[in-house]
Amino acid sequence: SSYKAGLRRGDIIVEFAGEKVTNSNTLKSILSSKKAGELVKIKVYRDSASGGEYIEFDFKLDARNQ
C-alpha cells in the first residue's frame, strides 16, 4: 500500500503523522502509537537528477504482524 500511496524506493521519510523522523527508531516509535486503518500524512525527501524535492502523501495504515 505504500507504493499505491506514492512512496518510491529511495524516498527518505522526514515526517510521519506530523512528527519529525530523525532515524528508524523514531519512525518505529511513532508507528507503534498508530492503529491499522488510520490515515496519516507522510512527508518524504526524494532525490532526482534535477534536484531533490519534498513530497507529502496521505497514507492509510495496513494491519501489521505482531
Side-chain angles (χ1 to χ4, degrees):
S1 63
S2 60
Y3 184 77
K4 288 180 188 177
L7 293 173
R8 300 290 182 255
R9 177 174 279 207
D11 285 350
I12 300 169
I13 298 173
V14 295
E15 285 184 20
F16 187 90
E19 297 186 50
K20 188 174 183 174
V21 174
T22 56
N23 58 49
S24 61
N25 289 331
T26 304
L27 179 58
K28 288 176 190 175
S29 176
I30 299 166
L31 186 56
S32 71
S33 70
K34 304 299 176 193
K35 295 185 169 111
E38 197 169 339
L39 188 66
V40 297
K41 275 207 180 298
I42 299 175
K43 184 176 184 179
V44 301
Y45 175 79
R46 182 176 291 166
D47 198 14
S48 67
S50 60
E53 62 181 327
Y54 290 93
I55 305 168
E56 290 188 3
F57 301 96
D58 289 323
F59 183 76
K60 186 175 182 180
L61 299 175
D62 287 341
R64 50 187 178 265
N65 297 328
Q66 298 295 330

